[in-house]
Amino acid sequence: MSSAFISRRAALALAAAAVLAIDPAFAQGTWPTKPVRIVVPFAPGGTTDILARAVAPELSKAFGQQFIVDNRAGAGGNVGADIVAKAPNDGYTLLMGTVGTHGINRALYPKLPYDPIKDFAPITLVAAVPNVMEMNIDKAKALNINSVADFVKYAKANPGKLNMASSGSGTSIHLAGELFKTMTGSFMTHIPYRGSGPALLDLVGGNADVMFDNLPSSMQQIKGGKLKALAVTSAQRSPALPDVPTVEEAGGPALKGYEASSWFGLLAPAGTPPEIVNRIQQEVAKSLGTAAIKEKMLAQGAIPSGNTPAEFAKMIDSEHTKWAKVVKASGAKVD
């Protein structure tokens, strides 16, 4: 065998090794070869968790590997988001991001441990949801609060006597309440939790009075008569609760223009191979388009999406602009 042939073969081997070193998942068909983790940056039981657990089994079936939900709560979603931002960009760690982690927090926190734009590769918007202004049913009855107007009247006459639960400082649930307080001139004591699930437990149990929760995580308690839905925070009524007015409808002139909805989507660490990003997006869009998943989400108050990575990236960019204005107008602070 000639030395020239050996040299050529060695050169080709080195080139192939270099490509694989740059991109461990270079060969599209080789990913995934092990379980994939979806980090949920909030405690179990909230909408972020519900949507992640709806998508994970569908991805597991599509790719033949387990997609495992990993709850990493803390700091309004920043703990979990930071874990993914610093994870290897090999397609094995994903984030169920939210309007908080990728729309609100950069405007609210003086310093984030991650950059919501530079540190992530958007995959797809999973769903958009309205929030719902709701009260502990017994507290609402005791105070004779049957509408947003009743609530505002009581809150303004009794500043600080009502407390407001949220899934964490800086989340859309928190900001929806802060915007409401600013526009109505009312005051409620904010109680941040490590996710919507724990906050809901205290709201149902009577340890909290009001919450502006994401609709899917509260739907069961509302339907079960344990929580009183006063209004939805979206610009239009929710098809899942057609008899519940919007905050703007129910709140009168002071709340004209009020709107504070939420969204949830999958992201990967920046630099994740486009082949992997596109494959995940395609499978998510396919599953969200099935009648079973679509009907289930709509019944919970979530509007499924499955848009492209480029469309999701454009949306995230516009959300930064929108929520920066809301944070400034509301005067919201991290507790």
Side-chain angles (χ1 to χ4, degrees):
M1 188 178 292
S2 70
S3 59
F5 178 80
I6 294 172
S7 296
R8 284 196 299 273
R9 188 167 66 177
L12 288 171
L14 286 171
V19 168
L20 291 173
I22 293 171
D23 181 1
F26 177 76
Q28 181 173 321
T30 65
W31 179 93
T33 60
K34 61 182 181 180
V36 177
R37 177 171 63 146
I38 301 177
V39 173
V40 169
F42 297 98
T47 298
T48 319
D49 185 65
I50 289 171
L51 293 176
R53 293 181 189 278
V55 168
E58 301 301 313
L59 292 174
S60 296
K61 285 188 287 186
F63 289 107
Q65 286 287 346
Q66 287 297 308
F67 279 67
I68 301 166
V69 174
D70 182 11
N71 297 86
R72 296 297 187 95
N78 290 339
V79 170
D82 188 46
I83 288 172
V84 178
K86 293 176 172 57
N89 54 7
D90 55 9
Y92 291 99
T93 305
L94 309 176
L95 175 73
M96 183 59 82
T98 70
V99 64
T101 60
H102 283 74
I104 296 172
N105 288 1
R106 190 163 73 170
L108 188 68
Y109 287 79
K111 187 177 181 180
L112 284 181
Y114 63 91
D115 187 307
I117 300 295
K118 295 179 181 178
D119 291 342
F120 293 89
I123 298 174
T124 187
L125 174 68
V126 173
V129 305
N131 291 6
V132 56
M133 181 183 178
E134 58 195 7
M135 286 192 72
N136 172 280
I137 192 75
D138 294 326
K139 178 59 72 76
K141 288 178 179 177
L143 299 179
N144 198 29
I145 294 176
N146 296 299
S147 65
V148 173
D150 290 342
F151 184 93
V152 172
K153 182 178 179 181
Y154 180 86
K156 291 182 74 171
N158 301 274
K161 287 192 176 180
L162 292 173
N163 59 55
M164 178 183 77
S166 84
S167 55
S169 295
T171 61
S172 68
I173 295 171
H174 173 207
L175 264 291
E178 292 293 342
L179 185 60
F180 183 92
K181 286 160 62 176
T182 298
M183 292 179 73
T184 59
S186 58
F187 177 73
M188 298 166 273
T189 302
H190 176 220
I191 305 176
Y193 291 78
R194 291 172 66 85
S196 183
L200 275 174
L201 285 175
D202 265 10
L203 186 66
V204 171
N207 296 318
D209 302 323
V210 64
M211 187 173 173
F212 290 75
D213 190 32
N214 305 138
L215 183 52
S217 50
S218 281
M219 183 65 76
Q220 185 177 349
Q221 305 292 357
I222 293 170
K223 295 286 190 183
K226 295 182 179 179
L227 294 176
K228 182 174 183 62
L230 296 177
V232 292
T233 66
S234 47
Q236 290 84 34
R237 294 192 182 198
S238 169
L241 291 176
D243 295 329
V244 176
T246 67
V247 170
E248 181 178 23
E249 281 182 303
L255 287 162
K256 183 175 177 57
Y258 180 98
E259 194 273 328
S261 297
S262 302
W263 54 260
F264 307 83
L266 285 172
L267 303 103
T272 298
E275 296 89 353
I276 293 176
V277 168
N278 290 330
R279 287 179 68 197
I280 297 171
Q281 183 273 327
Q282 289 162 10
E283 293 299 337
V284 170
K286 190 186 299 182
S287 68
L288 293 178
T290 62
I293 298 294
K294 192 172 184 178
E295 288 172 11
K296 183 178 180 180
M297 285 196 175
L298 289 172
Q300 292 176 324
I303 302 170
S305 176
N307 63 3
T308 67
E311 290 168 338
F312 190 28
K314 185 177 180 181
M315 175 188 157
I316 290 172
D317 191 54
S318 68
E319 286 289 282
H320 281 294
T321 303
K322 169 188 172 180
W323 285 100
K325 293 177 181 176
V326 173
V327 170
K328 184 176 181 180
S330 69
K333 306 284 184 187
V334 177
D335 297 333

